Amino acid sequence: LGVDVFGSELTGMGLTFGPNNQFTFYLPVDHKDTENLSKSQVLEFIRSIPRTVPIVVHNAGFEIPVLWNSLGAI
């Protein structure tokens, strides 16, 4: 009666990052009545963050497998 992490789809993501975690963005992917981003746009945004900048992944045990299934290796 749990959640199927590996069967879940990316519908959006909150991303907190920056030296002081001062930036937080919500990126909608598959929401009703919203101008959504494509998965490739989300991937491009994530890849644009320098690897030296700390990124916080909330609920990583769930979110990382969903991101991997939806976007592949980032």
Side-chain angles (χ1 to χ4, degrees):
L1 296 176
V3 175
D4 179 8
V5 173
F6 295 104
S8 296
E9 291 286 328
L10 180 66
T11 60
M13 61 180 285
L15 186 64
T16 300
F17 64 97
N20 296 316
N21 293 323
Q22 73 266 38
F23 304 113
T24 298
F25 288 98
Y26 184 77
L27 308 170
V29 175
D30 191 20
H31 287 268
K32 185 177 179 179
D33 300 328
T34 300
E35 291 190 33
N36 294 298
L37 300 171
S38 68
K39 289 179 184 177
S40 62
Q41 289 173 312
V42 171
L43 182 58
E44 181 180 343
F45 178 78
I46 293 169
R47 287 184 172 162
S48 73
I49 301 170
R51 295 291 181 200
T52 57
V53 175
I55 298 174
V56 176
V57 179
H58 302 274
N59 195 11
F62 178 82
E63 300 298 342
I64 291 175
V66 172
L67 283 173
W68 178 270
N69 289 339
S70 298
L71 304 176
I74 297 172

